[in-house]
């Protein structure tokens, strides 16, 4: 079945599932690392354990730890105590064996056993009785030495790590449980298809993307969306290349992070072995997936802190891989050359302002509703302007735009271009006169009343047409002359295509057009929030990744972030600092997102906002008053010397006071000065409401 035509993902097409299966005519080669000839690497990955564990922990090969931290004995105290226990045990055994303590220790033996056994005259009985008793005494002494000297802890802490061997690769489970044998396909009555997939896995022809993509296709067959016969026919014909993404790609050109597509996780780093982290998170991998990204992710850190390289791009890369597997649709927005992957890793690359761009951006989001187009465009144009009544400025701007877009669309069947919209907003007599004449000729009485209302309000105090004209003028520049085409001559991309597993990158204009870039970023965010809410098929997770969301957040955007959770969508927003967000919106923004990342180098002012968002917790504090004990006698001094050798401290008398206090989980000062380079403090929240405390994470491991 040809990958083009009906099954091709085209920007702006109406939402409907593509015909199954979308297989390219020529199976493409797997890009990136060449497949292993024996398939051992893929099979080991597929069969690796993925235990259920705490939220955000990297599940692939994870070994769960205890919930509470065991009490650790200091090294000096542990080793001295172990050696002293051995010395005392050896001295006690020597005293017993050599008879230094007399015969009193034989009293229990004489009381328990009859005289005929003790004085039988038989050498064999004597050996058994007395040496058996010695063995019992020696075993008791050995057990006491092991227990009192804490030798099991010594063994676990210092011996086991040195003799531990790498865990062997998991053995192949029985065919009925081996995921590489596709037992569910075999049980459904397609043994030939299961054999073909299992053979490709053994030969190294199948990769993780292939497995997850075919697994998703199989789930669509089980749900009744696609035909079982079509699935088996595609698998028998193409094996691991079956049901491929419409682009024909089966992997990215390269990978920069660790991904586990079975759990949809991407590893961001390792939780530090720090007292501020819960014990079961320490030294565990930290990862995110759609169940966390569905609550949206906010990343804040100054330039050079690793936002793009260590957080934003790994997440975007994971979403691109999931798009190839048919699970996600992703739109990545950033400046050209920001390190957001190669053009070959995307299906659509919109390079706004670049003459070689193959795609254009639909200024009106692919809608034909003037009111919807006016609302979205108003958010982009005036969403960042100061407004004493948040939201009222956007509503006034939407009203003005609606009074012009509606009449224009009624006459021309399309929305105005950027120069045409600018003329209308500036109140050009020629433009308004021509529009009025066309409406009168078409008999559009209702739209004439809309135009009359616009002309009456023009120039009145508080009229939004002036600010709108100034903002749209930023897009009416020679650099953008070939963009935002509304005639259909170009290839405009619309975010309405997010029904399909598409990978999109939008490059914003280069330096010198910062205001235009902010307008376009707000436009994409507003269109994304409007489009995902209207999707007919929400089985595909939709994500927007913005490498720089400065001057993008407004009240409507904050409200829209909260609504993404119910639409199986989420946003990843990166900021160099919270000063890129209006002061009244900083708290609501941190409250609207479920996952927050504060990187090293944060300012104390930004740290204060995060500290307030993470709240406080009740902890027990212990105040200890120490007073050194002075020995008066020679025996007391000897005991003090022994205690000092064991504990490493002079004998002291402690006065302990314990009380509960409420303290910030991470204070502003700690966030600003105690987070090492390459680290971050992050908290996660799932769609079900489960959340983690703020965790210190090493993003470099």
């Amino acid at each position: 079945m040809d990958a083009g035509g009906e099954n091709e993902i085209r920007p702006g097409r109406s939402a409907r599932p593509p015909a199954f299966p979308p297989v390219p005519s020529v199976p493409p080669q797997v890009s990136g690392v060449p497949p292993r000839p024996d398939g051992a690497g893929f099979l080991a990955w597929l069969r690796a354990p993925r235990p259920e564990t705490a939220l955000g922990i990297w599940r692939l090969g994870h070994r769960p730890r205890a919930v509470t931290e065991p009490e650790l004995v200091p090294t000096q105290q542990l080793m001295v105590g172990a050696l002293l226990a051995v010395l005392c045990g050896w001295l006690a055994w020597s005293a017993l064996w050599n008879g230094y303590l007399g015969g009193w220790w034989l009293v229990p033996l004489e009381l328990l056993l009859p005289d005929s056994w003790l004085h039988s005259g038989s050498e064999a009985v004597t050996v058994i009785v007395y040496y058996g008793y010695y063995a019992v005494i020696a075993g008791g002494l050995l057990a006491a030495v092991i227990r009192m000297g804490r030798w099991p802890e010594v063994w676990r802490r210092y011996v086991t790590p040195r003799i531990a061997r790498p865990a062997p690769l998991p053995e192949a489970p029985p065919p009925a449980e081996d995921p590489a044998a596709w037992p569910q396909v075999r049980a459904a009555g397609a043994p030939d298809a299961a054999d073909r997939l299992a053979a490709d896995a053994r030969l190294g022809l199948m990769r993780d993307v292939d497995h997850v993509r075919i697994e998703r296709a199989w789930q669509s067959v089980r749900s009744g969306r696609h035909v079982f016969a079509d699935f088996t026919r595609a698998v028998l014909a193409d094996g691991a290349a079956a049901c491929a993404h419409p682009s024909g790609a089966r992997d990215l050109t390269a990978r920069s992070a660790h991904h586990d597509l079975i759990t949809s996780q991407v590893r961001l780093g390792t939780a530090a072995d720090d007292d501020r982290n819960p014990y079961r998170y320490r030294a565990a991998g930290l990862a995110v997936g759609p169940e966390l990204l569905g609550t949206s992710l906010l990343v804040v850190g100054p330039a050079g802190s690793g936002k793009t390289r260590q957080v934003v791009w790994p997440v975007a890369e994971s979403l691109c891989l999931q798009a190839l597997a048919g699970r996600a649709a992703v739109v990545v927005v950033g400046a050209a050359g920001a390190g957001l992957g190669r053009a070959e890793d995307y299906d659509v690359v919109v390079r706004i302002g670049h003459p070689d761009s193959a795609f254009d951006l639909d200024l009106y989001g692919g809608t034909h509703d003037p009111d919807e187009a006016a609302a979205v465009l108003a958010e982009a144009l005036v969403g960042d302007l100061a407004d004493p009544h948040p939201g009222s400025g956007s509503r006034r701007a939407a009203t003005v735009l609606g009074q012009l877009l509606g009449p224009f669309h009624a006459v021309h069947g399309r929305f105005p271009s950027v120069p045409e919209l600018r003329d209308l907003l500036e109140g050009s007599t020629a433009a308004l006169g021509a529009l009025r004449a066309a409406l009168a000729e078409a008999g559009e009485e209702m739209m004439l009343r809309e135009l009359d209302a616009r002309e009456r309000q023009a120039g009145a105090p508080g009229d939004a047409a002036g600010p709108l004209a100034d903002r749209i003028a930023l897009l009416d520049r020679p650099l953008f002359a070939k963009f935002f085409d509304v005639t259909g001559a170009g290839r405009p991309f619309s975010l309405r295509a997010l029904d399909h597993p598409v990978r999109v990158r939008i490059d914003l204009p280069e330096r010198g057009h910062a205001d235009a870039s902010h307008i376009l970023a707000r436009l994409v965010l507003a269109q994304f929030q409007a489009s995902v809410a209207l999707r007919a098929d929400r089985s595909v997770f939709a994500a927007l990744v913005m490498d720089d969301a400065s001057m993008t957040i407004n009240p409507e955007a904050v409200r829209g972030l909260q609504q993404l959770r119910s639409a199986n969508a989420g946003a990843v927003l990166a900021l160099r600092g919270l000063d890129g967000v209006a002061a009244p919106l900083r708290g609501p923004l941190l409250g609207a997102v479920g996952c927050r990342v504060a990187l090293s180098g944060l300012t104390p002012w930004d740290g204060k906002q995060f500290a307030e968002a993470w709240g406080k917790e009740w902890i027990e504090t212990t105040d200890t008053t120490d007073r050194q004990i002075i020995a008066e006698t020679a025996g007391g001094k000897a005991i003090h010397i022994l205690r000092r050798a064991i504990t490493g401290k002079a004998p002291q008398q402690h006065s302990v006071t314990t009380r509960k206090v409420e303290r910030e989980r991470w204070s502003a000062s700690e966030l600003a000065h105690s987070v090492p380079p390459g680290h971050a403090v992050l908290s996660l929240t799932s769609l079900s409401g489960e959340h983690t405390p703020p965790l210190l994470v090493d993003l470099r491991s």
Side-chain angles (χ1 to χ4, degrees):
M1 189 174 293
D2 191 2
E6 183 180 355
N7 296 326
E8 183 181 1
I9 296 179
R10 295 180 180 175
R13 291 190 60 178
S14 60
R16 65 183 180 89
F20 184 85
V23 183
S25 55
V26 179
Q29 296 296 322
V30 179
S31 58
V33 181
R36 294 169 60 100
D38 58 356
F42 168 76
L43 294 177
W45 168 82
L46 186 61
R47 294 164 177 164
R50 294 171 175 84
E52 293 292 337
T53 184
L55 183 68
I57 289 182
W58 174 255
R59 292 174 52 191
L60 179 60
H62 175 68
R63 296 182 178 180
R65 303 180 71 180
V67 177
T68 58
E69 180 180 5
E71 183 179 356
L72 296 179
V73 180
T75 300
Q76 180 180 358
Q77 180 179 349
L78 179 65
M79 297 304 298
V80 172
L83 294 176
L84 286 177
V86 172
L87 178 61
C88 293
W90 178 73
L91 291 175
W93 175 252
S94 298
L96 294 175
W97 183 260
N98 295 308
Y100 297 147
L101 301 180
W104 63 266
W105 62 284
L106 295 174
V107 172
L109 183 64
E110 296 175 351
L111 293 177
L112 294 175
L113 298 181
D115 293 341
S116 60
W117 286 29
L118 298 175
H119 309 290
S120 63
S122 173
E123 184 177 355
V125 174
T126 302
V127 169
I128 294 175
V129 171
Y130 283 94
Y131 281 91
Y133 187 61
Y134 293 156
V136 172
I137 297 297
L141 283 175
L142 181 62
V145 167
I146 292 175
R147 181 176 179 83
M148 296 178 62
R150 296 188 178 96
W151 276 99
E153 185 173 350
V154 174
W155 183 271
R156 287 193 302 268
R157 192 183 298 187
Y158 302 105
V159 180
T160 300
R162 288 169 172 78
I163 64 174
R165 297 179 180 179
L169 294 176
E171 298 181 357
E177 301 175 2
D178 187 1
W182 295 88
Q184 67 275 31
V185 177
R186 191 181 307 275
D192 294 341
D195 291 340
R196 174 62 192 275
L197 294 174
D200 283 6
R202 289 193 302 271
L203 295 174
L205 302 177
M206 181 176 289
R207 309 293 285 182
D208 53 353
V209 176
D210 299 328
H211 178 86
V212 177
R213 184 188 65 250
I214 296 174
E215 177 68 27
R216 177 174 172 81
W218 171 247
Q219 295 300 328
S220 68
V221 171
R222 294 187 60 184
S223 63
R225 296 183 59 195
H226 298 300
V227 181
F228 178 75
D230 291 343
F231 173 81
T232 56
R233 184 167 55 252
V235 170
L236 290 174
D238 299 299
C243 315
H245 187 268
S247 66
R250 293 167 56 192
D251 205 344
L252 302 181
T253 55
R255 300 189 186 186
S256 62
H258 296 285
H259 304 274
D260 183 24
L261 295 184
I262 289 182
T263 59
S264 300
Q265 288 185 315
V266 53
R267 182 182 175 120
L268 297 182
T270 304
D273 191 2
D274 189 272
D275 292 340
R276 288 170 290 196
N277 287 342
Y279 178 70
R280 60 177 169 176
Y281 278 95
R282 296 178 194 171
L286 262 292
V288 297
E291 78 284 354
L292 299 173
L293 298 177
T295 64
S296 295
L297 172 68
L298 179 66
V299 187
V300 181
S305 59
K307 293 190 304 298
T308 303
R309 184 181 68 259
Q310 296 173 332
V311 180
V312 175
W313 171 236
V315 172
E317 185 179 70
S318 173
L319 293 168
C320 287
L321 288 171
Q322 293 181 50
L324 292 179
R327 287 179 171 179
V330 57
V331 179
V332 181
V333 182
L340 297 174
R342 304 178 183 180
E344 296 81 3
D345 293 333
Y346 295 92
D347 306 311
V348 175
V349 179
V350 183
R351 305 171 68 185
I352 302 177
H354 197 286
D356 297 334
S357 179
F359 287 89
D360 191 4
L361 181 65
D362 192 332
L363 191 65
Y364 300 98
T367 183
H368 298 286
D369 183 357
D371 293 331
E372 181 182 348
V376 172
L377 190 57
E379 286 298 316
L381 294 177
V382 302
D384 65 325
L385 295 180
D387 189 350
H389 304 287
S392 61
S394 297
R395 287 192 294 270
R396 289 197 301 268
T399 301
V400 171
L401 289 171
Q403 291 170 343
L404 297 173
L405 297 183
F408 193 97
H409 189 275
V411 172
H412 300 283
R414 62 174 177 83
F415 293 119
S417 64
V418 171
E420 290 171 336
L421 181 58
R422 180 181 180 182
D423 289 341
L424 293 173
L425 289 171
E426 289 177 344
S428 170
T429 304
L432 292 175
L435 181 57
R436 176 177 293 278
L439 288 172
E441 183 179 353
E444 295 284 350
E445 297 295 334
M446 180 178 297
M447 292 303 169
L448 277 172
R449 289 196 296 271
E450 286 286 306
L451 192 59
D452 291 339
R454 171 85 294 272
E455 292 181 342
R456 287 195 304 270
Q457 296 169 5
D463 182 27
L468 286 172
D470 294 339
R471 287 304 179 90
I472 203 68
L474 295 172
L475 302 181
D476 189 17
R477 309 298 301 166
L479 180 68
F480 308 124
K482 297 181 180 180
F483 287 83
F484 316 121
D485 179 72
V486 294
T487 63
R491 300 184 65 185
F493 171 75
S494 168
L495 271 71
R496 301 265 174 169
L498 296 182
D499 300 76
H500 309 290
V502 63
R503 302 166 296 165
V504 182
R505 192 183 77 188
I506 300 177
D507 291 346
L508 298 177
E510 299 177 355
R511 294 181 179 179
H513 299 275
D515 291 336
S517 295
H518 294 155
I519 291 174
L520 294 172
R522 287 194 299 271
L523 179 65
V524 173
L525 178 58
Q527 288 185 1
F528 176 81
Q529 293 177 337
S531 298
V532 296
L534 300 176
R535 290 189 302 166
D537 182 8
R538 297 185 178 182
S539 62
V540 174
F541 178 75
L544 174 66
V545 180
M546 302 192 73
D547 186 54
D548 186 3
S550 300
M551 308 300 293
T552 303
I553 306 301
N554 52 54
E556 288 299 326
V558 173
R559 284 191 285 269
L561 288 174
Q562 296 173 329
Q563 298 170 0
L564 293 178
R565 304 187 184 193
S566 60
N568 193 25
V572 179
L573 306 176
L575 294 168
R576 294 183 180 179
L578 291 177
D579 54 354
V581 180
L585 295 178
R586 295 170 189 172
L589 174 62
L590 288 170
V593 298
C595 304
R596 313 177 188 99
V597 180
L599 287 93
S600 60
L602 211 65
T603 66
W605 298 273
D606 289 348
K608 181 180 179 181
Q609 296 286 341
F610 276 95
E612 292 178 355
W614 282 324
K616 300 180 180 180
E617 62 179 345
W618 287 98
I619 61 173
E620 285 190 355
T621 61
T622 302
D623 298 328
T624 304
T625 303
D626 296 333
R627 183 178 64 84
Q628 185 173 352
I629 302 175
I630 305 299
E632 301 292 342
T633 63
K637 292 180 180 180
I639 294 175
H640 284 193
I641 293 173
L642 180 62
R643 289 181 60 182
R644 187 184 185 93
I646 296 176
T647 63
K649 299 179 181 179
Q652 295 177 337
Q653 184 178 16
H654 301 285
S655 175
V656 179
T657 303
T658 303
R659 56 195 179 98
K660 282 190 174 183
V661 297
E662 191 178 23
R663 289 185 179 175
E664 292 176 328
R665 300 176 186 269
W666 276 81
S667 68
S669 178
E670 289 175 328
L671 290 171
H673 306 294
S674 299
V675 180
H679 289 64
V681 180
L682 63 83
S683 63
L684 305 172
T685 304
S686 69
L687 290 170
S688 62
E690 185 181 1
H691 62 274
T692 70
L695 305 168
L696 179 63
V697 178
D698 185 357
L699 300 176
R700 302 167 300 183
S701 61

